[in-house]
Amino acid sequence: MALPTLVTEHWYDLRDLSNLSREILEGADKILPHGIVYVLAALIGFVASFLIFVLPSQLIVGVYGERKLIGRMQSRYGPNRVGPFGLLQPIADAIKLMQKEALTPKGADRAVMYLAPIIFVAPAVLLFAVIPFGPKMILADINPALLYFLAVSSLPVLAAFMAGWSANNKYSLFGAMRIVAMSISYEVPLVLALLGVVLFTGTTSLQEMVLWQKHFDIWIVFLQPLALAIYFIAVSAELNRTPTDIAEAESEIVAGYLTEYSGMKWGLFYGMDIGYALAASAFAATVFLGGWSMFGLDKWVPPWMIIIGKTHLFYFVFIWTRGTLPRLRIDQLMAFAWKFMLPVALLNLVLVATERMLWVEQELDDSYLYIFAVVNIWAALGAIWAWSRFLGYRPERNPVRARLVNEAGGYVPVPEAAKGGK
Amino acid sequence: MPTREWTGEEVAAAAERLVPGSVARTTAGACYLKAEKLVEAIEALRSSPDTDFVHLTNLCGVDYWDHFEVVYHLQSFVRNQICCLKIEVWDREKAVAPSVVPVFHGAWMQECEAYDLLGIRFEGHPNLHRIFLWEGYPGWPLRKDFLSMPGGLQPGLNEFAGTARRPEPATRLVQ
Amino acid sequence: MTDAIKTEPFVLNIGPQHPSTHGVFRIKVTVDGEKVLDAEMVMGYLHRSMEKLAEERTYTQNIPFTDRTDYLSSMANNLGYCLAVEKLAGIGVPARGDAIRVIMAELQRLASHCMAVGAFTNDTGAWQTPVMWAFREREKILDIFEMTCGARLTCNYMRIGGVAFDLPAAFEPAVRKLLRELVPFIDEMEGLLVGNEIFLARTRGVGVLTPEQATNASLSGPLLRGSGIAWDLRKADPYCGYEQYDFDIPIGYQGDSFDRFIVRIEEMRQSIKIIKQALDGLPGGPHSTQVPLALRPPQGEAYARVEGSRGELGYYLVSDDGPSPYRFHIRAPSFINLSALKEMTVGGTVADAIVVLGSIDVVVGEIDR
């Protein structure tokens, strides 16, 4: 698919910032030696990505916004002391963390323990390379971008395992064991859900997926709501976000694999946790929510603003679930992955494959996509209803109000009707 | 309707009927049992339907300078009644009382507490240990002569320990 | 293959510094992977030897000690101790004093159950949100305590023979306003949690206690009622005129952690009902009888108990005709409720053990005393 001609090549067209940087670098190339131009390019890239993505997303939304929003959900204020509205709180935190001593417990494997945060950081940065921020604002427009994303995003599990294993702490070991077991389980439905998207769009390039959604003017979330649901649950399990944060479950195993970390070693884990969540949100926004396209609005609004907005919208859902839901037990999470997510992902795949075949073989009209969307939304609702019906607890069978008796005495037998069950 | 508190005589009559020869003496509020018959009597009071003392609500020891008493409060839910049983332990050096853990699981921790603070050793307890203080703590804090016990504990902090020994409190006996 | 991989159980220390032990309490769990094989309790980190200290102080001076045993329900502790002394010395309490005591004890039960419900949901992993919501309501109750007696947590409000001060004029409207706000809060909290699939999955069938086990382990309070035994001292052995008020005893079904949770929620509703009745029928007259400061009860002993927030809170006092108690024993519900911890945790997972501990609702100040 050819690039649409919406972006002019002028430097002042801020809808795609790559024009500006190209102009600057081409101009500099004429008067400066090559070495300095490389440095300049790196500097521009760093400053631009910091101003556009890292500052608003990582620091303001990721650290400050999350704390502020969770604070409001918990009926308290959240950070409000450092700077205006507490906006400088993340910076103050970072300074504090750098000053703190990074302790290494006695008996820990020092080398592995130091290596783990570093290994944890690198993939988080690499992940953003394939996210398209605009028609041409993409660092590496590689064809197997989706596979690249999946491969790189399973790397931090290794770092988390190293962190938990090396710390010589039983809580850390528990966390490491849990995260490895869980990410293996959740990788399967995650990939199966994304396979449906690949099947429908016929590409593994993220840029082409965006263009596909732009071309047909329909987001994949409408075509495959079930895939988005599976992706969201599976990715929140891999990212250790509540309700599936069993690897660092605070009330059970203190902080899981992070228990023995302090100072900036901990800070890297904390910061990059947010980085992974943002990368997963950006990926979901690209694959399911149309990326930088917005039903023609991207002609007027810079596309990078659109995708950042979508990323933050998705990230807000992460914050929301974190602020509201209790945590599942590990065996329940495993059962959920294998007993519910895997069959539903397969069901989704079968449905999508059938629709795709019909669409291509019968050479159907584009408007059939909307019919597929209606069918798939109903299928998603049906799957969720069936789950709550057959697998979940049924409130009408299980009493949720205590019985009331007026006289003190001994044991009051439970009436047969209120015995309940699954 | 308030809980009926059994008088000592009532408990004694019931205990004597269920386990003959188990009652030592009675007072107005409590029934003193013989230590060697205690477990048997409590088991009988628990399982007999007209006493039905199924719930051991309180267990504690009291130091009376020359002897200890172990106090048991038992209650029944269905009959809404409570009674007070006691045994006396006269040997202060080797204070031993029978354990009621085989009858009431709830006595487990309360007997540990009485052992820890008063030094009454409950014979037959599965895991009698000092529950609040550490093993090897000198003396038994709730005994009345705790501060003149071997181990040399003095009131105050160690670095400001008084040189003059604290005068022995006057012996106060409860009849 | 299975012979080649050797596994052995290991010991995991939950506590004394752990986010979910509600203080400095320690459980040594022997685990095989996630499964709990054995659980042993270690306590005493907060032991202050209150029973010994109380033997050196007069009866009135001991009231502040009782605040500091179960620091989340100081009013109930005051009340239990004062009832024991009154029983020992044969002192009566005027009707207004009794009514004020009932109101205060029930407000304290509301505050304590707010904390219990919030902390329990925190243990299931609902990250701080329910506990902060519950804290918000608890703050309002503590404000009322502050208005009445000047202290929020360790109130020291009950006196032998009545209460320390009469109620201020602003008390009644403030309590009525509070009760109006609490009713929707309880409904909201209940609706959010009992309708939550994850919460149900975590608490249903976890830490089941049969009625026989609960009775034999000397349990009391919501644990006993959660197992289906209708035993509430306010009904069974009324004190302070509880027989005048119309309320019910909530009991559970199968004795799991969820049943204890719904029993607590329902008890909050019943408490509101009692406070409303007590406020409506608040008698006039003196709030306290005159009791000599150096009280010397006659020789004898007394065991008085109240239905505290965590169960039967008993005080066993022995007097030798002196100005201070000869023996002062607290039947601490948190401590004795822990008797059944091992039965409830063994066989579950580590995560279940945390939920069970949360459902017992321990206060370490009361365990260690």
Side-chain angles (χ1 to χ4, degrees):
Chain A
M1 261 172 269
L3 281 175
T5 54
L6 87 127
V7 177
T8 62
E9 299 285 311
H10 300 301
W11 65 270
Y12 50 81
D13 188 357
L14 288 181
R15 288 177 296 177
D16 199 323
L17 295 170
S18 60
N19 293 327
L20 180 64
S21 66
R22 198 194 59 238
E23 288 284 333
I24 294 174
L25 292 176
E26 277 177 1
D29 205 20
K30 285 173 191 150
I31 48 171
L32 290 169
H34 280 304
I36 294 175
V37 177
Y38 276 128
V39 174
L40 195 63
L43 270 177
I44 289 175
F46 181 76
V47 171
S49 62
F50 190 84
L51 285 181
I52 292 164
F53 199 79
V54 179
L55 185 71
S57 301
Q58 189 92 358
L59 293 180
I60 294 177
V61 174
V63 181
Y64 172 81
E66 178 157 1
R67 286 175 65 179
K68 198 86 179 167
L69 271 171
I70 285 198
R72 299 318 303 217
M73 284 175 196
Q74 295 173 355
S75 73
R76 57 189 173 82
Y77 285 114
N80 64 351
R81 295 283 132 178
V82 191
F85 312 108
L87 270 169
L88 298 180
Q89 185 68 43
I91 295 161
D93 279 352
I95 292 170
K96 182 204 76 174
L97 282 174
M98 282 179 212
Q99 288 172 339
K100 274 177 92 165
E101 185 185 0
L103 294 165
T104 310
K106 205 174 170 181
D109 192 331
R110 295 183 74 87
V112 179
M113 199 170 169
Y114 272 94
L115 210 56
I118 298 166
I119 294 183
F120 197 74
V121 169
V125 184
L126 288 176
L127 283 177
F128 286 99
V130 292
I131 305 283
F133 283 88
K136 285 188 296 171
M137 263 177 81
I138 174 166
L139 193 67
D141 189 5
I142 53 176
N143 221 10
L146 190 128
L147 296 179
Y148 167 89
F149 193 93
L150 287 175
V152 175
S153 67
S154 53
L155 272 178
V157 176
L158 174 70
F161 179 71
M162 283 166 70
W165 181 80
S166 65
N168 190 24
N169 181 318
K170 286 167 185 168
Y171 293 125
S172 303
L173 199 62
F174 259 102
M177 191 186 75
R178 285 177 173 191
I179 194 169
V180 171
M182 194 167 63
S183 71
I184 289 172
S185 304
Y186 275 87
E187 202 84 353
V188 179
L190 175 72
V191 172
L192 281 176
L194 290 175
L195 198 57
V197 182
V198 174
L199 212 68
F200 220 96
T201 53
T203 174
T204 52
S205 160
L206 294 182
Q207 181 70 285
E208 283 182 26
M209 276 186 193
V210 177
L211 294 174
W212 189 92
Q213 297 177 56
K214 189 172 164 53
H215 177 76
F216 291 108
D217 263 341
I218 186 165
W219 291 351
I220 289 179
V221 59
F222 300 123
L223 282 169
Q224 300 185 26
L226 216 48
L228 179 65
I230 293 166
Y231 175 81
F232 177 77
I233 296 171
V235 94
S236 71
E238 293 210 350
L239 292 169
N240 267 315
R241 310 285 300 190
T242 318
T244 49
D245 62 339
I246 55 164
E248 41 190 85
E250 193 198 329
S251 58
E252 295 155 25
I253 51 170
V254 189
Y257 57 88
L258 297 176
T259 307
E260 292 291 355
Y261 278 92
S262 63
M264 205 54 207
K265 281 200 286 183
W266 178 83
L268 285 177
F269 274 111
Y270 175 69
M272 285 309 125
D273 255 348
I274 295 165
Y276 282 115
L278 282 167
S281 310
F283 182 77
T286 306
V287 174
F288 292 103
L289 301 182
W292 48 262
S293 72
M294 186 83 188
F295 306 119
L297 193 71
D298 45 340
K299 273 205 182 77
W300 315 104
V301 181
W304 47 272
M305 280 192 182
I306 291 174
I307 185 166
I308 288 174
K310 285 176 181 172
T311 305
H312 292 174
L313 182 77
F314 208 84
Y315 190 69
F316 169 73
V317 184
F318 277 131
I319 299 174
W320 194 5
T321 53
R322 184 179 174 197
T324 45
L325 289 179
R327 177 190 309 119
L328 281 161
R329 214 166 54 207
I330 181 159
D331 54 329
Q332 291 166 343
L333 267 180
M334 293 291 175
F336 188 68
W338 294 106
K339 285 185 187 162
F340 173 69
M341 300 258 284
L342 188 66
V344 165
L346 286 171
L347 180 81
N348 181 52
L349 199 60
V350 168
L351 202 65
V352 169
T354 316
E355 284 168 0
R356 169 73 182 172
M357 206 182 73
L358 281 175
W359 193 45
V360 175
E361 306 254 310
Q362 309 291 321
E363 290 173 354
L364 293 177
D365 200 337
D366 285 359
S367 59
Y368 275 84
L369 279 180
Y370 300 103
I371 298 172
F372 293 158
V374 173
V375 170
N376 289 355
I377 287 169
W378 278 107
L381 292 177
I384 290 165
W385 176 83
W387 169 61
S388 61
R389 197 75 196 154
F390 298 121
L391 279 175
Y393 280 97
R394 292 158 71 179
E396 70 271 17
R397 279 224 214 141
N398 284 284
V400 293
R401 290 288 280 267
R403 293 180 281 166
L404 293 176
V405 289
N406 202 273
E407 286 293 317
Y411 176 61
V412 183
V414 181
E416 203 55 45
K419 281 243 169 79
K422 271 217 153 181
Chain B
M1 201 179 79
T3 303
R4 194 163 82 83
E5 291 185 23
W6 280 30
T7 60
E9 282 77 23
E10 278 178 295
V11 190
E16 194 65 32
R17 179 165 53 78
L18 294 164
V19 182
S22 60
V23 177
R25 64 191 176 92
T26 58
T27 58
C31 165
Y32 286 78
L33 295 179
K34 287 179 185 149
E36 62 274 12
K37 292 268 189 180
L38 173 80
V39 179
E40 206 185 331
I42 278 189
E43 168 67 55
L45 285 172
R46 187 184 76 143
S47 44
S48 163
D50 54 342
T51 47
D52 188 49
F53 288 112
V54 291
H55 192 251
L56 171 75
T57 177
N58 182 33
L59 189 161
C60 69
V62 188
D63 181 7
Y64 286 104
W65 286 98
D66 53 348
H67 72 286
F68 297 112
E69 282 179 4
V70 185
V71 185
Y72 303 85
H73 283 95
L74 306 179
Q75 66 181 2
S76 161
F77 297 141
V78 178
R79 301 173 70 90
N80 197 1
Q81 60 196 16
I82 187 166
C83 77
C84 177
L85 301 174
K86 290 183 179 180
I87 57 168
E88 287 173 335
V89 181
W90 282 93
D91 190 351
R92 281 182 78 81
E93 298 306 312
K94 271 188 68 182
V96 173
S99 167
V100 294
V101 174
V103 187
F104 288 112
H105 182 69
W108 182 302
M109 288 173 70
Q110 303 187 58
E111 284 183 359
C112 279
E113 186 196 351
Y115 167 68
D116 187 4
L117 301 179
L118 276 160
I120 303 171
R121 187 169 284 280
F122 287 91
E123 206 73 2
H125 191 288
N127 182 18
L128 195 68
H129 63 287
R130 304 201 75 155
I131 195 164
F132 296 137
L133 305 167
W134 53 95
E135 294 295 336
Y137 183 84
W140 314 98
L142 274 185
R143 287 194 183 182
K144 292 287 172 186
D145 55 353
F146 172 56
L147 291 175
S148 53
M149 275 174 130
L153 283 188
Q154 291 282 320
L157 299 171
N158 273 341
E159 52 262 49
F160 308 110
T163 46
R165 281 189 74 86
R166 184 187 148 98
E168 189 90 354
T171 303
R172 301 189 306 211
L173 256 179
V174 176
Q175 268 77 48
Chain C
M1 185 65 196
T2 46
D3 295 338
I5 302 170
K6 184 167 162 285
T7 62
E8 57 182 43
F10 68 97
V11 176
L12 181 73
N13 268 309
I14 299 180
Q17 281 97 33
H18 187 280
S20 292
T21 50
H22 304 242
V24 277
F25 174 68
R26 176 171 155 215
I27 318 174
K28 271 162 76 178
V29 286
T30 310
V31 287
D32 176 17
E34 291 269 344
K35 199 166 179 254
V36 177
L37 302 178
D38 191 14
E40 191 192 331
M41 289 166 282
V42 182
M43 57 191 79
Y45 296 93
L46 208 60
H47 181 59
R48 292 153 291 174
S49 74
M50 273 180 188
E51 296 180 0
K52 184 75 179 173
L53 289 170
E55 289 174 8
E56 303 286 320
R57 277 154 183 80
T58 66
Y59 285 94
T60 313
Q61 281 175 335
N62 280 335
I63 298 173
F65 277 139
T66 63
D67 284 337
R68 282 145 181 90
T69 54
D70 181 354
Y71 39 77
L72 290 180
S73 58
S74 58
M75 289 284 189
N77 286 276
N78 289 173
L79 178 58
Y81 173 70
C82 291
L83 284 177
V85 178
E86 283 154 15
K87 194 171 170 185
L88 194 62
I91 298 168
V93 180
R96 186 175 173 83
D98 265 346
I100 295 174
R101 283 177 168 194
V102 167
I103 294 170
M104 286 301 174
E106 293 305 318
L107 281 174
Q108 186 72 73
R109 188 186 315 278
L110 280 169
S112 176
H113 278 349
C114 273
M115 182 73 199
V117 166
F120 175 55
T121 45
N122 208 23
D123 288 342
T124 63
W127 198 76
Q128 294 275 323
T129 307
V131 76
M132 292 304 286
W133 284 31
F135 260 41
R136 183 182 61 195
E137 306 305 316
R138 182 168 167 264
E139 283 300 303
K140 296 177 188 166
I141 301 172
L142 298 190
D143 284 344
I144 293 208
F145 287 166
E146 190 180 6
M147 172 203 283
T148 315
C149 62
R152 294 165 69 83
L153 202 63
T154 51
C155 297
N156 189 16
Y157 180 57
M158 311 281 176
R159 290 288 181 273
I160 299 160
V163 294
F165 327 103
D166 206 350
L167 297 175
F171 180 84
E172 196 181 329
V175 173
R176 286 193 192 278
K177 179 165 171 288
L178 171 83
L179 295 184
R180 273 200 303 279
E181 289 166 359
L182 268 179
V183 174
F185 163 74
I186 295 169
D187 290 343
E188 188 181 22
M189 192 86 174
E190 187 189 30
L192 283 174
L193 288 167
V194 302
N196 189 317
E197 192 85 27
I198 301 175
F199 184 75
L200 285 169
R202 280 304 300 280
T203 54
R204 271 270 182 219
V206 171
V208 177
L209 270 183
T210 61
E212 293 77 29
Q213 276 177 321
T215 313
N216 200 24
S218 296
L219 304 190
S220 53
L223 273 88
L224 196 60
R225 290 193 282 276
S227 292
I229 296 175
W231 185 252
D232 188 325
L233 289 173
R234 292 174 293 172
K235 278 273 186 211
D237 191 9
Y239 51 91
C240 292
Y242 266 110
E243 65 274 7
Q244 312 159 22
Y245 307 118
D246 171 39
F247 64 100
D248 295 318
I249 309 173
I251 54 174
Y253 299 88
Q254 44 177 322
D256 54 13
S257 303
F258 183 76
D259 281 347
R260 286 164 221 149
F261 169 79
I262 56 177
V263 162
R264 289 204 175 93
I265 288 274
E266 198 59 44
E267 272 183 28
M268 288 165 79
R269 292 211 178 89
Q270 300 298 329
S271 288
I272 290 178
K273 215 167 139 185
I274 296 173
I275 296 171
K276 276 187 180 150
Q277 293 172 44
L279 273 182
D280 288 340
L282 192 65
H287 59 84
S288 180
T289 46
Q290 285 293 326
V291 172
L293 207 55
L295 183 70
R296 284 170 171 268
Q299 269 187 17
E301 58 182 57
Y303 177 69
R305 63 251 177 93
V306 296
E307 186 70 30
S309 321
R310 280 157 196 81
E312 177 180 336
L313 176 64
Y315 283 85
Y316 178 69
L317 296 179
V318 179
S319 163
D320 65 343
D321 202 13
S324 56
Y326 184 77
R327 176 82 168 97
F328 174 87
H329 175 76
I330 307 167
R331 188 244 188 246
S334 291
F335 175 66
I336 295 169
N337 284 353
L338 281 174
S339 303
L341 183 72
K342 191 174 165 183
E343 281 84 51
M344 289 193 270
T345 48
V346 170
T349 64
V350 176
D352 286 342
I354 300 295
V355 169
V356 166
L357 187 64
S359 77
I360 297 177
D361 182 26
V362 293
V363 171
V364 180
E366 195 180 47
I367 298 172
D368 293 347
R369 301 194 291 282

